[in-house]
Amino acid sequence: MSSHPPSRKSNNNVCLQVPNEKCGFEYEDDSVRSRGIWFVLTWLFGIICILLLATIVWMSAVDKTNDIRKDECIPHNDVISDVKSQERGKRSPELSLKFRKTNGSDVFEELTKDELDTIVRYLHSDPSLNLVAPNKPAVNTNYIHTIEMKMPYKDEVIAYLNGSIKKPERAATVFIFRGADDPPSVDEYKVGNINGKIYAHLVHTDRRHTHIPFIYRPFSTAEFFSIFRYILPQVTKQAGHVLKESYDALPMNCDKKCLKISMAPVSSTFIPEGKRKSWFWFQQDIEFASIRSLDFQFLVDTTSTNASNWIIEDVFYANQMFPNLTYFLEEYERGSINKTKIPFPSEEEQTWSTMKFRTPLVPDVPFRAPRQFEPDQRRFKITDNEIHYMDWKIHFRVSTTGGLHLMNIRFAGERIIYELSMQEVVVMYGGNNPYSKTMNYADGAGIYGTRHRGLLPGVDCPGHAEFVNNYLYSYNEGGGRMYENAFCVFEFNTHTPIRRHRAYGRSGALFGGLEGIVLVVRSIISVLNYDYVFDYIFYPVGAVEAKVSMTGYLGTTFYFPEDHLYGTRIHEHVSAPLHNHLFHFKVDMDIKGRQNRYETLNIKVRQEEDQWVQGRTVHQAYVVRELKETELSATYKYNFSSPKVHVFSNNNDISPLGNPRGYRIQIQKMAKQLLPEGYGFENAISWSRYQMAVTRYKPEEDRSSSLFTMWDAREPVVNFQKYLDDDDSLVDEDLVTWITLGTPHFPQTENLPTTTVVGTQLSFHILPFNYFDEDPSMRSRDAVRITPLNATRPLEGANVEQYGALENVQCVPWHKYPMELLKKNSTFLFS
Ligand SMILES: *[C@@H]1O[C@H](CO)[C@@H](O)[C@H](O)[C@H]1NC(C)=O
Ligand SMILES: *[C@@H]1O[C@H](CO)[C@@H](O)[C@H](O)[C@H]1NC(C)=O
Ligand SMILES: *[C@@H]1O[C@H](CO)[C@@H](O)[C@H](O)[C@H]1NC(C)=O
Ligand SMILES: *[C@@H]1O[C@H](CO)[C@@H](O)[C@H](O)[C@H]1NC(C)=O
Ligand SMILES: *[C@@H]1O[C@H](CO)[C@@H](O)[C@H](O)[C@H]1NC(C)=O
Ligand SMILES: *[C@@H]1O[C@H](CO)[C@@H](O)[C@H](O)[C@H]1NC(C)=O
Ligand SMILES: *[C@@H]1O[C@H](CO)[C@@H](O)[C@H](O)[C@H]1NC(C)=O
Ligand SMILES: *[C@@H]1O[C@H](CO)[C@@H](O)[C@H](O)[C@H]1NC(C)=O
Ligand SMILES: [Cu+2]
């Protein structure tokens, strides 16, 4: 028990959550206190309470180490009922630091540490690959960039799942950077039969490039290391006096007044063929640099694999561009430039960009916020790599390059979704200064799997969530390592009823309702300044929602008056430019099997004769069903004037009422790609042209984006448009749906110090559409039905049916920051 603000007296954090009773606080109002006691007594004598106590006593007996007080919730973490969970280790109330135990037993499971070690040993033993370990980062070496499980093709997986073949071989996708080769390249390898006679070969497919120009490689530690070794010292040596005069700070040997370097890659379409260039600029190295941008910028040509040949090209300073550093310095000496002068922020001036608490604090008394807990015990479980929750069963994997993928999502025993995954996160900026004009980030370069880490219980996910760790291999993180608290799973009461109805009349009265209870699978990635919260939400009605919320810091530029055209001046010297956030998702649905079709229900309006009233014509809406026969005819660009319902169904499974059983996809927030098709960076993210697109499943059309998207627009490694251009038939085929979410973000001063998730949540729903004959949530115990005892006298007592769910539970919410643990060891959060 730990985190009490000093002014709060708490009875060991254990108290009765009774209305008006303020939980162990010094309390002045006696009437409130006695009311509290009255509630306690009522509660103590409640029959349901006795049931609960019996459960508690039983559970205490199960776990002797846990001295449960009768007014305390059962800390479910200690009474996990299933054997597998116990195998994973009993979780301390603070936080589990146990590693997820995996043994590669399942077809969806990521590679285990042993498997990764085997692959690394095997590849390193091949002299022709000439590989070096990740501990000596240099651009002109050959090294393994990432390793991840290569999923067997869907045919095989499904045959394995239905028991008709034995387990497919374990295989891996490996990206090898070959900076030492001439010409240098990045190559995609398949390493197969990992646990047997292992082999490796370059992947060949016409669906993407697998032998990739080295200039398209994502930034790696090797490259950052070289920037720090070769470029920064050069800039500091030649222009250090400018930085000192302008900002009273330096990038090196700087003690307390330091400059941080930030970087924006220039996509290949904006520069001559065969070149690789990035813009760099300085920021004050304080909390937090991304909103502390300064005006000294320079473009570096990093085409050579020999970093000592990298060239500093254009320099931008004081709203002027100079063709080279020497020329800039001459002009600077000559006094023809209006020098920028920004004093290094004092302690006090630093505050606005920090997340330090502001005063006066709200509320003025540190009463705790409402919080959620699980009164009985956890109602879902996670076994190896599968989540079990009510009618849902979900496999998962965390791919090193792709992040969290949910696989084989079943409801009531039937697969509905084979794969649900995020494909790419993009931010496209504009602005006055040179780097903003070509600043487009595709965060895949940041290696999504490694960004899943460090979720904080109590803030990022509820304290009662279960956290999952992952072991992944990436060069940027020094090889194989554990990522703790990579994602979390929790059951959650939204307290928006999922359904309800209240009716009252002479014929009787009735109330029926279902609490808003869902399962959330959450991951959060931080890339540079931004944080994205990804939720996959599972509803008792058989629906799934995918949602992304944005937070973190703005990306900014140094303010010049011209920036008014592009964004908002958010501080004296800081402008935040308009930008467009885009997200791409893959949904591989299988509705009653793999042979599905895609139809739109087009809502139209027409004028028609009213056959019931002579001579009257009416305007009214009607529906035209349009079967989408091929990929190109199935691309969807939102049009306000022609609303559509997007239905995916199985034509071999028609309900007795004549409705094909199906699911539909409904997108809540879309953004249009405003740039011309094929222009610049847009060419690398051709998926963003469509709010939705549907393709026929092809094993090699696995992803819509790649590690290389930030750089490869001239010749995209994965070109999504190509998936569509072969215009395959979509009728009664295995269909994959690709969904773009997005929003333009026009920054505002309220985005200081950070942007918040409020108003930045984008989502789509995957909803049953005549799939069930009746809402499956009608079986939920979380529902209630209330009817009068006597239908003709509804005011004289009612009957409450709760289907057995324990109610009126009063106990301690299980919500704590892992405070004690963090004081001793904050590895899980910051590593
Ligand atoms: C892997 O674990 C599962 C259960 O978690 C077990 O049934 C299987 O035998 C294990 N496989 C190996 C190769 O250890
Ligand atoms: C198992 O799946 C495979 C591949 O989809 C299919 O060909 C086969 O008929 C299925 N077998 C059974 C027993 O369902
Ligand atoms: C890299 O370039 C520098 C300067 O041009 C040269 O001295 C050095 O030998 C080169 N290194 C390699 C490994 O080619
Ligand atoms: C730098 O730019 C100036 C002005 O365009 C030019 O005269 C000079 O040759 C350039 N120097 C180098 C080293 O490119
Ligand atoms: C420098 O500042 C003066 C006064 O504001 C302005 O008139 C002049 O145009 C500026 N020069 C440059 C090169 O921006
Ligand atoms: C939008 O839909 C309307 C009504 O069907 C149609 O007339 C119009 O051409 C469509 N606009 C575009 C851009 O396709
Ligand atoms: C319900 O109330 C009506 C009107 O008072 C009465 O006649 C009837 O017997 C009651 N029914 C039952 C089942 O109690
Ligand atoms: C801190 O925790 C990490 C796991 O998060 C563990 O590997 C490490 O040994 C711990 N360090 C200490 C000093 O306990
Ligand atoms: Cu934004």
Side-chain angles (χ1 to χ4, degrees), residues 21-77:
E21 163 67 283
K22 293 293 198 305
C23 276
F25 279 65
E26 292 276 272
Y27 221 70
E28 268 146 42
D29 180 349
D30 270 331
S31 68
V32 173
R33 185 193 290 276
S34 56
R35 236 186 308 150
I37 289 165
W38 184 84
F39 269 103
V40 174
L41 291 175
T42 316
W43 174 72
L44 274 176
F45 290 107
I47 182 136
I48 285 141
C49 173
I50 291 167
L51 273 179
L52 178 68
L53 285 179
T55 322
I56 292 171
V57 168
W58 174 73
M59 280 164 175
S60 317
V62 171
D63 189 342
K64 289 272 190 291
T65 60
N66 186 34
D67 178 22
I68 297 169
R69 295 165 48 120
K70 64 180 185 302
D71 52 353
E72 214 176 340
C73 275
I74 304 156
H76 51 74
N77 287 337

Side-chain angles (χ1 to χ4, degrees), residues 476-520:
N476 287 356
E477 299 284 340
R481 61 158 278 194
M482 182 63 68
Y483 295 86
E484 289 181 80
N485 288 17
F487 67 94
C488 68
V489 182
F490 56 93
E491 199 185 6
F492 177 65
N493 193 334
T494 65
H495 284 296
T496 298
I498 282 177
R499 56 178 162 78
R500 61 90 70 186
H501 189 65
R502 190 188 74 92
Y504 175 71
R506 282 196 343 173
S507 65
L510 108 94
F511 180 94
L514 173 62
E515 290 182 51
I517 292 173
V518 297
L519 187 82
V520 181

Side-chain angles (χ1 to χ4, degrees), residues 189 315 321 352 415 428 521 622 693 786:
Y189 276 80
V315 172
M321 189 83 133
W352 70 266
R415 181 175 69 253
M428 304 175 75
V521 179
Y622 68 106
I786 305 172

Side-chain angles (χ1 to χ4, degrees), residues 309-348:
N309 294 335
W310 290 356
I311 303 155
I312 301 170
E313 298 190 332
D314 301 340
V315 172
F316 175 86
Y317 175 85
N319 215 1
Q320 276 179 271
M321 189 83 133
F322 306 89
N324 54 55
L325 190 54
T326 323
Y327 185 75
F328 161 67
L329 291 169
E330 282 166 16
E331 293 294 300
Y332 188 86
E333 296 311 325
R334 193 178 307 145
S336 61
I337 303 174
N338 290 339
K339 295 183 182 176
T340 307
K341 278 221 187 302
I342 311 288
F344 199 81
S346 63
E347 193 75 28
E348 196 183 328

